[in-house]
């Protein structure tokens, strides 16, 4: 029995939804351990499209337990809306198959407003957030003033906690010339939905320990990608949580010894949403082609993703930082029509060569990529399920990619459909 952590090895949007759904057929438990409803996973099962934001991907499968860990920040209204949406597609959601950590921090309306205020006032320095209150909620968590799921169980405690957090936020709002946020309506609204939220609430660390003792296979599902990690990403153009694999332990309370295998979802090219450095970005017709063929629009925001060549330097770096054991290579079929395909193998900054991305954002914006070029295969790879059946040039590209990033490719995705996957190594059975 192995427990597997799935993380994105780039800037997110690598196709984790399909891979997690594919793996969840073998897992017993699926755990979300960080992020919020700013990150979306799109699943396509038997022609039905499911767009998930907070709910773990396993929720669409029968006889699976889905867990939202303490490391996730939860907009309670968004969660209830998502549950209603998924139920409308004949998916059962109840307290037996969905568990929400009692220690998870809540995203409240003033968090979203603060997100919007900051982005609107930042001008050219804006981060490119999804404006859903994720960052401000994490700030309150670290500042020890957040409202957590458990606080909904006591009106007296909720009242006190709201005083603490609004004292902080209203001081900032006043300084920015904004009206103060009133407590009473928010308190009433929270108490109104408290029973619906609390029915899913449990001490997640205890539940996971129980499931481990039963030898259940646990799949830990990350949001975004390692390059958006608040410590290891392209700071300050990052998210507000740690997106690396080790966060699965912190964000669920399972203990680091619970992790047996780390799978890095890696797109065969590169995309990024929002602001920030992007060394291999293509603003020409090839970039447009990748965006069109790859349907590169955000699940949550519908924002168009920036597209570029595969950046081997960055992926090699994130694989080492996150301790990734194997790669699930996705969207290979998007490259099918190209005459030439490039891979970034080094950087140049002011005439100096680098084999990694420097931490300074100024340096990151000055990076010039150095490429290796490969011949395209000019034929369809859609639906291929055996490596031997891939075009020769596609096999050459994959082998060189694997060699450069120094990590084994465990699977290759050849379409959005979950069964269109070349399985080389099963993470649960190694």
């Amino acid at each position: 029995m192995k427990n597997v952590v799935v993380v994105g090895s780039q800037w997110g949007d690598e196709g984790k939804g399909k891979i997690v759904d594919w793996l969840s057929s073998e897992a017993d438990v699926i755990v979300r351990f960080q992020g919020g409803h700013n990150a979306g996973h799109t699943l396509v099962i038997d022609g039905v499209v499911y767009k998930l934001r907070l709910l773990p991907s396993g929720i669409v499968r029968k006889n699976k337990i889905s867990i939202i860990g303490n490391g996730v920040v939860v907009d309670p209204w968004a969660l209830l809306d998502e549950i209603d949406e998924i139920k409308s597609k004949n998916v059962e959601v109840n307290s037996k198959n969905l568990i929400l950590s009692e220690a998870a921090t809540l995203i409240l309306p003033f968090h979203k407003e603060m997100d919007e205020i900051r982005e609107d006032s930042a001008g050219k320095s804006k981060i490119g957030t999804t404006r859903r209150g994720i960052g401000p909620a994490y700030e309150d968590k670290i500042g020890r003033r957040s409202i957590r799921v458990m606080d909904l169980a006591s009106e007296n405690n909720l009242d006190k906690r709201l005083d603490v957090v609004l004292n902080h936020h209203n001081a900032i709002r006043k300084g920015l010339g904004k009206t103060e946020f009133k407590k009473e309506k928010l308190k009433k609204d929270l108490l109104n939905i408290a029973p619906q939220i609390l029915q899913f609430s449990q001490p997640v660390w205890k539940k996971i320990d129980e499931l481990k003792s039963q030898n259940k296979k646990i799949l830990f599902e990350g949001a975004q990608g390692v390059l958006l990690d608040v410590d290891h990403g392209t700071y300050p153009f990052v998210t507000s949580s740690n997106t690396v694999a080790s966060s699965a332990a912190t964000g669920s309370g399972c203990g680091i010894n619970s992790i047996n295998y780390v799978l890095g979802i890696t797109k065969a090219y590169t995309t990024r949403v929002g602001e920030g450095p992007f060394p291999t970005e293509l603003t020409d017709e090839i970039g447009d082609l990748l965006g069109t063929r790859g349907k590169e629009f955000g699940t949550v925001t519908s924002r168009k993703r920036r597209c570029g060549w595969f950046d081997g330097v960055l992926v090699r770096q994130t694989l080492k930082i996150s301790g990734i054991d194997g790669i699930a290579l996705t969207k290979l079929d998007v490259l099918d029509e190209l005459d030439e395909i490039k891979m970034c193998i080094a950087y140049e900054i002011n005439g100096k060569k680098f084999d990694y991305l420097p931490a300074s954002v100024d340096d990151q914006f000055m990076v010039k990529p150095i490429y290796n070029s490969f011949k395209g295969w000019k034929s369809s790879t859609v639906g291929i399920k055996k490596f031997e059946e891939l075009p020769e040039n596609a096999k050459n590209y994959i082998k060189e990619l694997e060699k450069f990033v120094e990590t084994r490719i465990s699977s290759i995705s050849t379409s959005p459909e979950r069964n269109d996957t070349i399985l080389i190594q099963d993470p649960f059975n190694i």
Side-chain angles (χ1 to χ4, degrees), residues 381-400:
T381 59
V382 175
I384 291 178
K385 295 179 178 61
K386 294 182 179 179
F387 185 82
E388 297 75 22
E389 296 176 2
L390 289 170
E392 283 303 313
N393 287 347
K395 287 190 280 188
N396 291 338
Y397 176 68
I398 293 166
K399 288 175 182 177
E400 287 300 313

Side-chain angles (χ1 to χ4, degrees), residues 43-220:
L43 313 179
V44 182
I45 304 172
D46 298 327
V48 180
V49 178
Y50 302 94
K51 294 190 176 183
L52 305 177
R53 294 166 288 279
L54 276 169
L55 294 172
S57 298
I59 200 70
V60 300
R61 301 207 162 271
K62 292 183 178 180
N63 303 316
K64 310 291 180 183
I65 297 175
S66 292
I67 296 177
I68 300 174
N70 54 275
V72 181
V73 286
V74 178
D75 181 323
W77 294 279
L79 176 59
L80 294 176
D81 286 345
E82 190 172 339
I83 290 172
D84 287 342
E85 179 184 334
I86 208 77
K87 282 184 173 180
S88 72
K89 296 186 177 183
N90 298 317
V91 175
E92 186 175 0
V93 182
N94 54 50
S95 59
K96 292 183 179 179
N97 70 346
L98 177 63
I99 297 170
L100 170 64
S101 172
E102 62 180 5
T105 289
L106 297 180
I107 299 173
L108 301 175
F110 53 79
H111 291 130
K112 182 179 178 181
E113 289 181 16
M114 185 58 67
D115 218 352
E116 293 171 343
I117 290 168
R118 287 177 176 169
E119 278 289 273
D120 290 340
S121 63
K124 292 183 179 179
S125 299
K126 67 179 180 178
I127 301 298
T129 78
T130 55
R131 298 170 178 254
R132 278 163 168 73
I134 310 297
Y138 272 118
E139 287 180 42
D140 282 345
K141 176 181 178 177
I142 298 304
R144 302 181 295 276
R145 56 182 171 264
S146 65
I147 309 295
R148 301 194 289 175
V149 170
M150 65 184 74
D151 294 322
L152 299 179
S154 165
E155 180 176 351
N156 183 56
N157 186 55
L158 178 62
D159 189 81
K160 293 176 181 178
R161 297 302 302 161
L162 283 171
D163 281 339
V164 171
V165 71
L166 287 177
N167 182 57
H168 172 82
H169 277 268
N170 281 334
I172 297 174
R173 292 169 72 100
K174 185 177 180 180
L176 293 171
K178 304 296 180 180
T179 58
E180 290 190 4
F181 198 95
K182 302 300 181 183
K183 180 181 76 172
E184 291 308 317
K185 183 179 185 305
L186 176 58
K187 177 184 169 183
K188 181 179 179 182
D189 290 343
L190 285 170
L191 290 173
N192 186 47
I193 64 167
Q196 299 172 70
I197 295 296
L198 291 171
Q199 66 175 312
F200 303 109
S201 174
Q202 286 190 40
V204 159
W205 68 268
K206 192 172 186 298
K207 185 63 178 180
I208 290 179
D209 187 63
E210 175 189 319
L211 294 165
K212 283 167 56 181
S213 69
Q214 297 170 6
N215 288 322
K216 299 295 185 181
K217 291 182 180 179
I218 304 175
L219 180 64
F220 296 91

Side-chain angles (χ1 to χ4, degrees), residues 293 331-336 377-385 389-391 394-395 398 412-415 420 422:
R293 283 184 54 81
K331 293 200 169 185
L332 180 71
D333 54 297
V334 174
L335 305 178
D336 286 350
W377 42 92
K378 300 290 289 183
S379 60
S380 176
T381 59
V382 175
I384 291 178
K385 295 179 178 61
E389 296 176 2
L390 289 170
K395 287 190 280 188
I398 293 166
I412 302 166
S413 175
T414 56
S415 95
D420 289 343
I422 300 169

